[in-house]
Amino acid sequence: MTTIAGWVSRVEIFLNTDRLRAWNLVLAVATLLCGLGYLALSSGGMDPKGDPIGTDFISFYAASKLAIAGHPEAAYMPEMHQAAENAIFGRQVEYSAFFYPPIYLLYCLPLAFLPYFLSLALWQGTTFAAYWHVTRRFAGPHLDWLAIAAFPAVLVNLGHGQNAFLSAALFGAATLALNTRPTFAGVLLGCLAYKPQLGLVIPFALLAARRWKTFAAASVTVLALAAIATLAFGADTWSAFLANTPLAAAVLERGLVDAYKLQSTYAAVRVLGGSNAMASAAQGLITVGVIAVVIWVTARAPRRHVEPPLMALAALLASPFLLDYDLVLLALPLAWLFAEARQTGFLPYEKVTMFVAYILPLFSRMIAKEAGLPLAPLVIAALFVVVVRRVATDVQPVVSSPPLRAPRGRQYE
């Protein structure tokens, strides 16, 4: 144990500001080179593997095409949806399913008014800008911009053409506004209804902290979005969505998505050879445990600034369907811990835990696939413990350390 503690101590001393900045620069350059190489090796809109550039984005774009053409329910009919995807490039492409509720069709609707690649660039650019802004608000002005841009989950999300930037921006902006603009925070949380697996913990956290306005605003927003989607796309779209849910469940139960690609406790058990029942039971225990901790922390210290990172990590741990691009959400607690550490100093094991969590998206899928070691749930859980410990020990600012000056308009205390 002493040897482990000594090793961790040496690693944390090694991870000083200059070295971390250098590594961020290396990561940023590597990300840029990978992106340029990816595009250079692509041809006819297809990447080197023969998949459409933007991969998952084709699902959103095809759903938009169908909705604009007056057939939104077809987004939930795999044969028609796949035909719409094939039509975008005029050839057979690997199918990307659309499992999102009709609320998400409202978000996707404008996409097909532009050519595919312009729409993809605009989607990724605007949502990345929102992610960037919110993460800066979490960290304050002292965090190197490279740390945000070079976060490996950024490259993963860009490669998939996914919506994790949007999810992180909505989640982060909402939790930052909890104390000062509770109704607005609820509206933003309600807008996350397109990804319900990330919202499992939110109601419990809000009720435990007695945030009645935020809870009410989130509930009304979800109902309003559902009503607007019904008016825009018709009740048949909801029927088609519900009829498609067995296929969505089969993604997990039958392994239609390889378990090593997922980052959840459920997937970890499957990677280790466990059955669907074992994986479901393990995920259920983790979800209940995480919710219990969130309730305890928020009830013990209501309206403290710990809610934003705590809720983000709890959302990741509670979801059984979690892909590596969803790890963009880790940027929020990492930025928060950086800001806290500037005021109080790093606690033991904190810096090394943050470092491993930061580089997690770079290797989690590869190690799970090649070595059969699903590390993501353990790393996320370790970061969760680090955040909870700061509340439990009531860490105070270090007198000799200059206080962190928050950027104008910072939304948490």
Side-chain angles (χ1 to χ4, degrees):
M1 191 69 180
T2 304
T3 303
I4 294 176
W7 178 83
V8 170
S9 178
R10 288 192 292 272
V11 170
E12 294 193 330
I13 292 172
F14 177 80
L15 294 174
N16 59 36
T17 301
D18 290 337
R19 289 193 179 98
L20 290 174
R21 184 176 292 113
W23 278 109
N24 282 332
L25 180 59
V26 170
L27 275 174
V29 172
T31 297
L32 179 61
L33 292 177
C34 285
L36 293 175
Y38 172 83
L39 293 175
L41 295 173
S42 300
S43 177
M46 296 293 170
D47 68 15
K49 297 187 298 181
D51 296 326
I53 293 175
T55 54
D56 295 347
F57 182 77
I58 195 173
S59 171
F60 310 159
Y61 193 83
S64 172
K65 282 276 191 185
L66 291 168
I68 291 172
H71 305 289
E73 73 284 351
Y76 302 103
M77 301 174 182
E79 289 186 4
M80 295 183 68
H81 188 228
Q82 184 170 20
E85 291 182 356
N86 294 341
I88 295 170
F89 288 95
R91 58 179 292 182
Q92 184 79 19
V93 298
E94 184 175 352
Y95 180 54
S96 293
F98 191 83
F99 293 132
Y100 295 91
I103 288 172
Y104 191 56
L105 277 174
L106 295 172
Y107 296 57
C108 295
L109 190 61
L111 297 178
F113 285 109
L114 295 173
Y116 178 85
F117 292 110
L118 179 58
S119 184
L120 172 61
L122 189 62
W123 169 261
Q124 294 288 52
T126 54
T127 56
F128 174 80
Y131 149 80
W132 172 282
H133 178 71
V134 170
T135 305
R136 288 288 292 178
R137 295 285 293 279
F138 265 80
H142 298 283
L143 181 63
D144 192 336
W145 66 270
L146 278 174
I148 301 174
F151 182 35
V154 168
L155 178 61
V156 175
N157 190 70
L158 288 172
H160 283 85
Q162 262 290 345
N163 51 32
F165 293 148
L166 177 62
S167 299
L170 286 172
F171 204 107
T175 52
L176 288 174
L178 283 171
N179 285 339
T180 58
R181 303 177 68 186
T183 301
F184 179 64
V187 171
L188 293 178
L189 289 174
C191 289
L192 271 170
Y194 71 87
K195 206 151 190 172
Q197 66 267 34
L198 291 181
L200 297 175
V201 179
I202 291 173
F204 299 98
L206 296 179
L207 293 175
R210 299 182 292 281
R211 296 189 180 277
W212 315 123
K213 287 184 178 180
T214 303
F215 182 86
S219 302
V220 170
T221 300
V222 173
L223 294 174
L225 288 172
I228 294 170
T230 303
L231 290 173
F233 308 123
D236 289 345
T237 303
W238 284 99
S239 298
F241 164 69
L242 294 174
N244 198 39
T245 52
L247 178 59
V251 168
L252 286 177
E253 296 172 5
R254 301 178 190 173
L256 299 183
V257 171
D258 294 322
Y260 70 82
K261 296 180 180 179
L262 300 170
Q263 310 296 302
S264 63
T265 298
Y266 175 93
V269 175
R270 297 304 298 268
V271 168
L272 294 172
S275 66
N276 177 65
M278 291 174 59
S280 298
Q283 182 64 63
L285 288 173
I286 290 296
T287 300
V288 171
V290 164
I291 289 174
V293 172
V294 168
I295 291 173
W296 173 74
V297 171
T298 51
R300 180 177 183 269
R303 303 183 184 278
R304 282 188 55 178
H305 62 290
V306 73
E307 286 175 272
L310 188 71
M311 289 171 65
L313 289 167
L316 292 173
L317 288 170
S319 174
F321 192 80
L322 188 76
L323 282 149
D324 49 355
Y325 53 76
D326 291 315
L327 297 180
V328 169
L329 199 58
L330 277 177
L332 305 182
L334 287 171
W336 180 87
L337 281 166
F338 170 82
E340 288 291 303
R342 280 193 60 85
Q343 293 183 351
T344 64
F346 285 99
L347 300 178
Y349 300 97
E350 198 167 61
K351 187 185 292 187
V352 70
T353 303
M354 291 172 62
F355 178 74
V356 174
Y358 183 84
I359 63 173
L360 176 68
L362 195 63
F363 61 79
S364 59
R365 180 189 285 203
M366 179 180 62
I367 291 180
K369 180 182 180 180
E370 301 299 334
L373 295 175
L375 299 178
L378 294 176
V379 176
I380 299 170
L383 201 63
F384 184 75
V385 170
V386 164
V387 171
V388 172
R389 179 177 62 171
R390 279 194 165 265
V391 181
T393 55
D394 196 22
V395 182
Q396 299 298 319
V398 177
V399 175
S400 59
S401 177
L404 176 64
R405 300 184 66 183
R408 183 176 299 176
R410 187 174 179 181
Q411 296 297 314
Y412 64 83
E413 300 172 354

